[in-house]
Amino acid sequence: MRLLNKFLSTIAACALVLFAGHASARDWETIKKSGTIVIVTEGAYYPFNYFEGTTLTGFEKDLAEEVLKVMGVKPDWRVVPFDAQLASIRQGRFDMAIASHGFTEERAKSVDFANPHYCSGAQIVSYAGGPKTVAELKGKSVGVQIATTYYDAAKKVDGIGEIKTYKDETANFSALQSHKYDAWITDKFVAKATLAKNPDVKVSMGDMVFVERDAAITMKNNKELLEQWNAALATIIKDGKYAELSKKYFGQDISCK
Ligand code: ARG
């Protein structure tokens, strides 16, 4: 009996190792051979990645597909909540993610960042009479998406009031309209595009809180995959495809200059 137990636990341990191996993100060689890359986004971050009905679309979706075309592989899109993405990429459950991750030293400890595909930052948005500057956030409540750099920034504001967190920016924008808090802190281009799309919502943009470089992420040390992605991104920036897409979504080129 004891022997049988030992035998069974050895099998279980082996299965665990095999499973862990299988769950690992694949290197470029393997991805290329399979012809498909398993790529994650969120689908609730207008206009970067969002759903039109049941169709995933947005700047990052289109951009990734242009980059992958140059790389010669097809996307297998997976939709994962933003706050679960970093951990799943760190654990190698998917090959990569593109969902507007701003580069931070902290994140770079657990995943690798590609070259940025745009430069932006956090912006304050509020109703007339609401806070428009960082100083005015004192004693005021804000709405931020969970697990974002906006949340981290809000926590650092001296004397800030309540920080309300939302699972995505769609829910956050609804909360703003229901006056659940005083100021929305979100990406500059998300704010611009969302306000342009909802002219009946009488809010306006205030100051920038910080700037950041936003990039796709991969598991640590997946070097060749990152090199391939970076080279293909550079190609579509050079040949004008990037500018074309950027103008379509933002009316301007938002690449890092
Ligand atoms: N740029 C911010 C960050 O890196 C927000 C990203 C949110 N992305 C999303 N798909 N909701 O934390």
Side-chain angles (χ1 to χ4, degrees):
M1 195 60 196
R2 205 176 282 157
L3 209 67
L4 182 67
N5 270 343
K6 188 152 194 250
F7 178 68
L8 287 178
S9 65
T10 307
I11 288 190
C14 286
L16 214 71
V17 168
L18 278 178
F19 182 75
H22 182 75
S24 238
R26 302 164 310 152
D27 62 8
W28 171 240
E29 216 39 51
T30 313
I31 292 168
K32 199 167 104 185
K33 247 182 241 150
S34 80
T36 303
I37 186 162
V38 184
I39 180 165
V40 163
T41 193
E42 179 199 33
Y45 199 61
Y46 178 80
F48 287 98
N49 58 81
Y50 64 101
F51 278 91
E52 233 161 48
T54 54
T55 311
L56 179 65
T57 185
F59 176 66
E60 288 182 309
K61 195 249 184 186
D62 288 357
L63 173 86
E65 293 193 346
E66 290 299 334
V67 170
L68 296 176
K69 215 185 279 172
V70 175
M71 289 165 73
V73 291
K74 291 204 159 53
D76 174 0
W77 285 104
R78 303 294 171 87
V79 171
V80 173
F82 183 73
D83 65 346
Q85 290 184 9
L86 203 83
S88 47
I89 293 300
R90 175 171 51 77
Q91 293 160 2
R93 292 170 49 207
F94 309 98
D95 296 324
M96 72 189 305
I98 182 164
S100 292
H101 287 91
F103 177 90
T104 68
E105 295 293 344
E106 194 52 38
R107 287 175 175 167
K109 284 181 195 159
S110 52
V111 296
D112 279 341
F113 279 79
N115 289 341
H117 54 274
Y118 72 95
C119 273
S120 187
Q123 186 121 18
I124 300 170
V125 179
S126 64
Y127 279 95
K132 292 281 186 294
T133 65
V134 174
E136 286 168 3
L137 289 175
K138 202 167 178 164
K140 301 290 188 215
S141 56
V142 296
V144 287
Q145 182 181 9
I146 194 81
T148 60
T149 48
Y150 318 133
Y151 177 54
D152 296 339
K155 282 191 296 188
K156 287 192 195 126
V157 174
D158 242 5
I160 197 160
E162 191 185 353
I163 301 172
K164 298 201 169 199
T165 56
Y166 296 89
K167 71 171 195 331
D168 60 45
E169 295 291 25
T170 311
N172 198 356
F173 184 59
S174 297
L176 171 73
Q177 292 169 73
S178 311
H179 300 273
K180 293 266 161 53
Y181 55 75
D182 299 310
W184 182 24
I185 303 178
T186 189
D187 176 79
K188 170 172 76 175
F189 296 115
V190 168
K192 268 192 186 170
T194 305
L195 299 202
K197 200 183 169 192
N198 299 277
D200 49 314
V201 181
K202 301 290 177 217
V203 291
S204 59
M205 318 229 307
D207 283 359
M208 295 275 303
V209 182
F210 63 83
V211 294
E212 67 179 4
R213 301 159 78 79
D214 296 86
I217 55 171
T218 67
M219 196 180 186
K220 275 234 150 288
N221 301 317
N222 210 340
K223 286 219 172 60
E224 226 188 322
L225 172 59
L226 270 186
E227 279 166 20
Q228 290 286 331
W229 173 277
N230 288 341
L233 176 62
T235 300
I236 69 157
I237 289 177
K238 211 163 164 197
D239 71 14
K241 193 76 217 171
Y242 178 100
E244 189 186 304
L245 278 179
S246 182
K247 288 199 179 108
K248 172 181 160 193
Y249 283 99
F250 306 103
Q252 61 178 294
D253 186 332
I254 67 166
S255 62
C256 298
K257 297 287 179 323

